[in-house]
Amino acid sequence: MQRRISRTVALGNIVVGGGAPVSVQSMTNTDTRDAGATRKQIDLLAQAGCEIVRVAVPDTEAAKALPAILKDLPVPLVADIHFDYRLALAAIEAGVDGLRINPGNIGGSAKVAAVAKAAAAKNIPIRIGVNAGSLEKELLRDGLVTPEAMVESALRHITMLEKVGFEQIKISLKTSDVPLMVDAYRLLAQKVDYPLHIGVTEAGTPFSGSIKSAVGIGILLWEGLGDTVRVSLTGDPVLEVKAAYEILKSLGLRRRGVELISCPTCGRTRIDLVRIAGQVEERLQGLEQPLKVAVMGCVVNGPGEASHADVGIAGGQGEGLLFRKGQVIRKVPENMLVAELLKEIDNMVKHTDA
């Protein structure tokens, strides 16, 4: 695919835009005022591969917790702020790596200019976050949100920052309506070259929300749009990170951890594939090295799919074939398939590390 080339902004050591790898974001759901709980969740997100983390800063107490949260933080931190420009200034002073604001709701042009000046002094980018749920009323068409209205809102906010000479900007156009979200980003991409943060907001629970996000995010990524992503789910934010990487891996945009290929099972399956695939997935969750693993149930498509993977198995009658890089290594009894597959993966990882 031909990716849209945007300007670049830097959040700490992460470059967003300009052809850099699509970065994965998430947001904590702890009370930011509880620095210990928030930091613990950020560390878990970082371990899962999250590259940029956002925290809500709703009040002064939350802003005061930022220095403790930021101490030796392994990933860039973005402060999400609404209504009070003083919270943005406090977050900048605390050392955050980015801001997420709507310039239109923090108190007028003078206050926007103050935030932009402080952010520019420390090379802190600002994400303009347009959300269909809080769009300016005068932009609605007969009470309805349209792609044109969302883009107009974004352009208004961009202009507010550009007027004071600030151009370290990222933009998001969030809505829970996938077609609306896709059309809005397509339209905006024709008008500006700032990097785009993409996602379906309020997508839902981990199951339905991941599917909805995969459709919306996947369409845009396939069209070359999107420089950084967040999968918004109602639940543990670590699941957001996992879902984001699965979307990116499916399009060949990122390789991190295991890509598990497993067949849906059918009447030809003669091994307990559901159990075997579940065990393999669980055992390999912590592996960061990019690896394609196939767990197939029968001899029709199994050998072919397994041979396209780095390592894999194809089931037979109470046994299976173990493959590595397209070559059959050996035949293994069903009760040893998982152990032998994991042993082979461990050998591959050790050989790569060496």
Side-chain angles (χ1 to χ4, degrees), residues 36-55:
T38 301
R39 177 55 188 267
K40 182 179 180 180
Q41 190 172 73
I42 293 173
D43 288 339
L44 290 173
L45 285 166
Q47 291 170 23
C50 188
E51 294 164 311
I52 300 169
V53 176
R54 180 160 48 109
V55 296

Side-chain angles (χ1 to χ4, degrees), residues 140-277:
L140 302 180
R141 305 295 189 266
D142 297 324
L144 299 176
V145 178
T146 65
E148 292 78 12
M150 294 186 70
V151 170
E152 177 59 29
S153 178
L155 294 176
R156 286 183 179 184
H157 293 139
I158 290 168
T159 299
M160 292 180 73
L161 291 177
E162 288 180 338
K163 279 185 176 179
V164 296
F166 189 88
E167 295 186 349
Q168 294 185 66
I169 298 169
K170 294 185 294 157
I171 312 164
S172 65
L173 303 172
K174 295 292 193 73
T175 171
S176 60
D177 183 317
V178 170
L180 174 61
M181 167 259 204
V182 169
D183 286 342
Y185 275 109
R186 286 170 173 165
L187 182 59
L188 182 65
Q190 297 171 13
K191 297 180 179 294
V192 299
D193 64 352
Y194 290 114
L196 301 178
H197 169 85
I198 64 173
V200 180
T201 195
E202 290 106 27
T205 57
F207 176 73
S208 61
S210 293
I211 294 171
K212 196 172 187 179
S213 296
V215 173
I217 293 172
I219 289 171
L220 290 176
L221 290 174
W222 184 247
E223 294 180 0
L225 304 180
D227 302 287
T228 181
V229 304
R230 180 196 174 190
V231 176
S232 299
L233 302 176
T234 306
D236 185 346
V238 168
L239 298 177
E240 298 184 348
V241 177
K242 293 180 179 179
Y245 273 108
E246 289 302 318
I247 294 169
L248 292 169
K249 286 191 290 188
S250 71
L251 293 169
L253 289 169
R254 296 292 299 269
R255 289 201 71 193
R256 183 186 189 277
V258 173
E259 178 183 353
L260 182 63
I261 302 165
S262 61
C263 71
T265 75
C266 69
R268 291 188 298 268
T269 306
R270 293 294 179 265
I271 61 173
D272 188 353
L273 190 70
V274 174
R275 176 185 59 81
I276 290 172

Side-chain angles (χ1 to χ4, degrees), residues 127-146:
R127 170 157 74 91
I128 294 171
V130 174
N131 193 301
S134 57
L135 207 62
E136 299 94 314
K137 301 301 181 186
E138 69 271 15
L139 294 178
L140 302 180
R141 305 295 189 266
D142 297 324
L144 299 176
V145 178
T146 65

Side-chain angles (χ1 to χ4, degrees), residues 5 17 48 59 69 76 92 102 123 137 147 157-158 165 169 188-189 214 237 241 263 273 280 282 337 342 348 352:
I5 300 300
D59 54 30
I69 294 169
I92 292 170
N102 285 338
N123 293 314
K137 301 301 181 186
H157 293 139
I158 290 168
I169 298 169
L188 182 65
V241 177
C263 71
L273 190 70
V280 171
E282 182 179 355
L337 276 173
L342 293 173
M348 293 180 72
T352 302

Side-chain angles (χ1 to χ4, degrees), residues 8-28:
T8 61
V9 298
L11 290 93
N13 63 343
I14 300 295
V15 175
V16 175
V22 179
S23 54
V24 172
Q25 300 195 27
S26 185
M27 186 174 185
T28 59

